[in-house]
Amino acid sequence: MSRVLVIGCGGVANVAIRKCCMLPEVFTELCIASRTKSKCDALAAELKDKTTTKITTAQVNADSVEELCALIKSYKPDLVMNIALPYQDLTIMEACLQCKVNYMDTANYEPEDTDDPEWRKVYDKRCKEQGFSAYFDYSWQWAYRKRFEEAGLTALLGCGFDPGVTQAYCAYAKKHEFDEIDTIDILDCNGGDHGYAFATNFNPEVNLREVSAPGSYWEDGHWVEIPAMSIKREYKFDQVGDKDMYLLHHEEIESLAQNIPEVKRIRFFMTFGQSYLTHMKCLENVGMLSTTPINFEGHEIVPIKFLKALLPDPASLGPRTHGKTNIGCIFTGRKDGKEKTYYIYNVCDHQECYREGASQAISYTTGVPAMCGALMMLTGKWTTPGVHTVEEFDPDPFLAALDQYGLPKSESHDPALVP
Ligand code: NDP
């Protein structure tokens, strides 16, 4: 029996909400609140006769702590699921603290305005001290640790697939397969084809910022940064086949390096087709990925926001996307004094996702873990007060829930390693 407030009603939230409504005994009441209320109303109307979960909707500007507090105080949820954008993480965490309610999200904080001088000061210092230059990092949300702990509240960060399930895979490997882990390679393969020359599978602004940034990996206790897309490997993925993949910076590397301190190297690779890369490079070269506003015929526009308006809505890719995703982690290390390797991953079919939840596999593989993370928090399995990432909790009930609700794991004890 619980009341949950979901903030955001985009591609990922749509999947998470549909999944929550399949478990009305846990998600008894749900309020869907977002910037555009009509999207919340449309989803609520569609689900009305399919679930006994009592759904209400609300309009909220999640950039405003005041508006969020007013909504939380009137709805009185047990948990706030932030499935809006990373830009809103801090305002929603702040509102949760002020209103004494548990919090979770699917991606770590980054600012919408990367030209903000106050933010830049902190960012420049972090780039120098830490050695990676991605716009996002955990420091902003980890700064809330003490306050959440003292309030007896739990904040669960980054509970999608990657970050999210990939960290549960690491916790699972550490618990069941290894005494010591030496290396972790996280491989994110999307073998799907949507038929467009260029489109992004989730929010274009967040996606393009991530992919066009320099890559980095963790090695021997420090970050190694490389130019964007400068490390390429080929890998043969189960049920997908041979793909080119590129080393990217990714947020879970930062928390894994802290929580599995013996690990010597952590890398993250994502597959990209040549058409995607050529388009992205071209758009970057002409300035379309810029977040700095320009004046165009008397109007101020932000190039990447304008580009977002031109690109296909990720939520519309579902019916067109065929093929599979394969996301997981390859480990090397030791168990009982013997060297060993291990690969744990999930394969997800775009069309099966669409048939079940009207979405493609990228939203599905993020929305299902978000629901499962909420399930862990609401059923008392993941409740340690403070601000935590997924690998800090017991992976077993979470992976069991993923097996049950649509993202079953596969394993190999003799995987091909990434050179
Ligand atoms: P969408 O752009 O499809 O949806 C975002 C939603 O948030 C929209 O409903 C939008 O409203 C709403 N929103 C944006 N700004 C505000 C605001 N100020 N106040 C209230 N609501 C707001 O994004 P996705 O569903 O693709 O992604 C959701 C989250 O999931 C993102 O944080 C993304 O980074 C993360 N993600 C995580 C992954 C993982 O594996 N961990 C993978 C993929 C995504 P409106 O309709 O008005 O635009």
Side-chain angles (χ1 to χ4, degrees):
M1 291 271 288
S2 58
R3 282 162 86 80
V4 173
L5 171 63
V6 181
I7 300 181
C9 193
V12 175
N14 257 266
V15 174
I17 290 163
R18 283 168 204 276
K19 284 284 180 182
C20 292
C21 289
M22 292 176 186
L23 282 169
E25 63 282 10
V26 177
F27 298 88
T28 334
E29 294 184 35
L30 209 66
C31 176
I32 313 170
S34 191
R35 181 168 54 189
T36 313
K37 185 169 176 284
S38 56
K39 291 188 191 170
C40 312
D41 291 336
L43 181 60
E46 192 197 322
L47 291 172
K48 191 169 172 280
D49 297 327
K50 296 183 184 158
T51 179
T52 53
T53 298
K54 189 174 165 219
I55 305 175
T56 50
T57 62
Q59 200 278 331
V60 73
N61 173 12
D63 294 320
S64 157
V65 175
E66 208 183 341
E67 276 194 35
L68 286 163
C69 283
L71 176 62
I72 294 172
K73 279 180 188 150
S74 75
Y75 188 66
K76 299 187 177 56
D78 303 298
L79 170 69
V80 173
M81 294 175 75
N82 166 15
I83 321 184
L85 296 176
Y87 311 146
Q88 282 86 44
D89 287 3
L90 301 186
T91 45
I92 302 178
M93 286 179 86
E94 184 61 44
C96 284
L97 266 173
Q98 288 186 20
C99 302
K100 301 209 176 335
V101 57
N102 296 311
Y103 167 91
M104 67 168 288
D105 65 35
T106 60
N108 74 5
Y109 173 70
E110 66 179 274
E112 186 159 18
D113 176 12
T114 51
D115 294 325
D116 171 11
E118 283 305 302
W119 176 83
R120 274 268 155 197
K121 243 192 276 163
V122 182
Y123 168 76
D124 289 339
K125 186 165 173 275
R126 191 264 286 160
C127 288
K128 269 199 210 107
E129 283 173 7
Q130 301 272 330
F132 69 94
S133 59
Y135 286 146
F136 49 87
D137 73 81
Y138 277 114
S139 64
W140 300 90
Q141 292 180 277
W142 281 340
Y144 281 85
R145 276 172 170 162
K146 197 157 175 280
R147 288 174 70 198
F148 269 81
E149 235 172 81
E150 284 173 1
L153 295 170
T154 307
L156 172 63
L157 306 186
C159 196
F161 207 105
D162 46 340
V165 178
T166 49
Q167 287 141 291
Y169 285 166
C170 293
Y172 182 87
K174 181 79 189 155
K175 183 173 175 183
H176 299 288
E177 297 285 337
F178 291 92
D179 296 324
E180 268 180 324
I181 296 177
D182 287 337
T183 67
I184 304 172
D185 277 333
I186 304 168
L187 310 192
D188 178 333
C189 163
N190 180 7
D193 182 5
H194 44 59
Y196 287 116
F198 186 71
T200 63
N201 291 300
F202 68 98
N203 185 286
E205 210 179 316
V206 177
N207 180 232
L208 289 167
R209 272 196 193 190
E210 173 180 298
V211 171
S212 58
S216 59
Y217 57 97
W218 182 258
E219 191 167 53
D220 296 328
H222 60 88
W223 290 96
V224 180
E225 187 158 85
I226 55 153
M229 302 292 172
S230 60
I231 293 185
K232 175 184 168 186
R233 298 281 186 269
E234 278 175 39
Y235 199 80
K236 191 181 185 67
F237 288 92
D238 182 25
Q239 299 182 53
V240 175
D242 290 315
K243 288 277 168 195
D244 290 340
M245 58 185 192
Y246 298 81
L247 188 144
L248 300 186
H249 175 83
H250 223 247
E251 62 202 70
E252 63 265 52
I253 302 177
E254 199 188 348
S255 67
L256 287 169
Q258 291 206 1
N259 290 318
I260 309 183
E262 82 267 18
V263 73
K264 294 185 180 68
R265 191 188 66 201
I266 314 173
R267 301 182 296 185
F268 181 97
F269 291 92
M270 190 177 273
T271 64
F272 295 100
Q274 200 47 52
S275 174
Y276 181 97
L277 293 178
T278 309
H279 279 79
M280 192 186 74
K281 196 73 215 158
C282 174
L283 291 165
E284 190 182 13
N285 286 344
V286 298
M288 283 300 288
L289 303 191
S290 168
T291 54
T292 306
I294 58 153
N295 192 290
F296 177 72
E297 296 186 348
H299 301 278
E300 191 174 84
I301 61 167
V302 177
I304 197 164
K305 285 189 189 293
F306 181 68
L307 175 65
K308 179 180 182 228
L310 292 175
L311 289 175
D313 178 357
S316 71
L317 299 178
R320 311 171 49 105
T321 308
H322 295 263
K324 292 177 181 178
T325 60
N326 177 326
I327 317 174
C329 305
I330 300 175
F331 303 90
T332 65
R334 270 165 306 287
K335 178 82 174 170
D336 301 328
K338 282 199 196 112
E339 301 287 324
K340 68 176 284 191
T341 59
Y342 175 64
Y343 189 9
I344 177 169
Y345 58 95
N346 164 263
V347 176
C348 188
D349 184 289
H350 283 284
Q351 281 297 302
E352 276 175 25
C353 295
Y354 183 66
R355 278 192 290 276
E356 186 197 311
S359 110
Q360 29 78 1
I362 307 301
S363 299
Y364 190 89
T365 53
T366 312
V368 174
M371 181 282 278
C372 292
L375 183 66
M376 295 300 104
M377 295 177 81
L378 295 168
T379 54
K381 296 188 176 72
W382 288 4
T383 53
T384 316
V387 176
H388 302 287
T389 43
V390 170
E391 73 272 25
E392 294 178 67
F393 291 107
D394 182 2
D396 293 351
F398 183 63
L399 293 192
L402 291 168
D403 282 345
Q404 190 177 352
Y405 299 115
L407 296 175
K409 63 180 176 304
S410 297
E411 292 168 288
S412 162
H413 285 85
D414 185 24
L417 299 181
V418 181

